[in-house]
Amino acid sequence: MRRFIPFVKSPPTVSVLRLQGAISAGGRTGGGLNDAALAPVIDKAFRKGKPRAVALVVNSPGGSPVQSSLIAARIRRLAEEKKIPVHAFVEDVAASGGYWLACAADDIWLDPSSVVGSIGVISASFGFPEFLNRHGIERRVHTAGASKSFLDPFRPEKPEDVERLRRVLEPIHDGFKDHVRARRGTRLSSDRDLFTGDIWVGAQALDVGLADGIGHLVPKLKALYGDKVRLVPHGVKKPFLQRFSGRLLSGVADEIEERALWARYGL
């Protein structure tokens, strides 16, 4: 007698991609969120197992605008190629470049205490000319090109250098604004300037259209794809030595810069 095996439909799967930490080209040890490290992970999240959707878990204070743009563009290319929806779930913060990444999703979900926004560009440094003079230290710089010593921290700041820096920052800011407008569209509040670098918390972000609702990863994905949805995590695998030594291998300057990014949001 021939046996008939009933067809059992597999539960839907959603790839979960964690975007945690500052965004940088990599520093001395290849740390931070960057396109080179994330490229194979993002590709796998969209291609392996025919996922119904991709969920981004974002917890980032920002960093490099170029790396933010590259990562977000890669996510959008694959989402459109595979026709797969993307959902972003913000944990503590998705600010500056972190919000750039969140906007790669079709919708953004927050915790009531999540911080989002900071749609701006910043350049920060220190100046030491008086310190050098006080200690009798002479600064010797020789350049070929009038702008090569632009914003030298060991020389007094020049108004023309500040104006030149502003001309550098403004096109980057414009690119950030264009990305947010393209992704959020008419959901953005029309009676508020959302591009001043200000931040919003939880429901405040909903009111101005920077996010779509309050919701956590598991219950929201179950509501969207059913109680049997299977969540498949994807992340960058670090070499054993890097996992073992952790921050001991990272540069002091990189560590200070990342801590400063988180400190802006009380974290």
Side-chain angles (χ1 to χ4, degrees):
M1 180 180 293
R2 181 179 296 175
R3 289 187 176 183
F4 293 94
I5 300 174
F7 175 75
V8 179
K9 187 176 181 180
S10 300
T13 63
V14 174
S15 296
V16 179
L17 180 60
R18 174 167 285 277
L19 302 175
Q20 162 83 31
I23 304 165
S24 69
R28 295 174 179 83
T29 59
L33 296 173
N34 61 80
D35 183 60
L38 285 172
V41 181
I42 296 171
D43 188 74
K44 189 176 180 181
F46 277 93
R47 298 182 191 278
K48 187 175 181 180
K50 297 182 179 179
R52 286 278 301 277
V54 171
L56 311 177
V57 179
V58 182
N59 199 10
S60 174
S64 164
V66 173
Q67 294 301 318
S68 302
S69 178
L70 290 172
I71 295 167
R74 184 177 298 278
I75 291 169
R76 289 314 312 158
R77 284 197 303 272
L78 285 165
E80 291 163 13
E81 174 191 328
K82 296 293 184 180
K83 295 180 172 54
I84 292 176
V86 181
H87 312 286
F89 295 87
V90 178
E91 292 188 338
D92 299 273
V93 59
S96 195
Y99 187 68
W100 197 316
L101 299 184
C103 282
D106 299 301
D107 44 50
I108 301 173
W109 303 90
L110 309 178
D111 180 86
S113 298
S114 298
V115 176
V116 298
S118 191
I119 304 169
V121 183
I122 187 172
S123 174
S125 64
F126 297 93
F128 303 97
E130 294 182 5
F131 175 85
L132 297 185
N133 291 334
R134 188 180 307 122
H135 292 276
I137 302 172
E138 181 183 4
R139 171 74 164 159
R140 296 174 180 174
V141 179
H142 307 281
T143 69
S147 298
K148 195 62 181 178
S149 61
F150 166 60
L151 288 179
D152 187 327
F154 298 100
R155 292 182 172 182
E157 192 172 63
K158 301 176 182 178
E160 57 268 29
D161 284 354
V162 175
E163 176 60 26
R164 189 178 301 130
L165 177 63
R166 191 172 61 82
R167 292 199 300 269
V168 171
L169 297 179
E170 283 183 350
I172 301 173
H173 191 203
D174 289 341
F176 194 173
K177 291 188 288 185
D178 289 345
H179 173 66
V180 174
R181 289 188 181 113
R183 297 300 306 147
R184 299 300 298 170
T186 57
R187 288 174 287 185
L188 295 174
S189 173
S190 59
D191 58 356
R192 293 285 298 274
D193 185 355
L194 304 177
F195 307 123
T196 63
D198 202 355
I199 57 175
W200 287 263
V201 179
Q204 298 173 352
L206 307 186
D207 292 340
V208 297
L210 294 180
D212 298 285
I214 302 296
H216 293 168
L217 178 75
V218 174
K220 177 54 65 175
L221 291 179
K222 283 187 175 182
L224 292 172
Y225 300 102
D227 288 338
K228 294 184 179 180
V229 64
R230 190 165 64 94
L231 308 185
V232 181
H234 295 272
V236 177
K237 293 183 179 180
K238 296 181 179 180
F240 172 76
L241 182 60
Q242 189 173 343
R243 295 200 308 269
F244 177 75
S245 57
R247 292 295 186 183
L248 294 177
L249 291 178
S250 67
V252 174
D254 296 334
E255 173 76 5
I256 292 173
E257 184 176 0
E258 180 167 348
R259 285 182 179 273
L261 283 170
W262 285 107
R264 290 181 196 164
Y265 309 104
L267 301 170

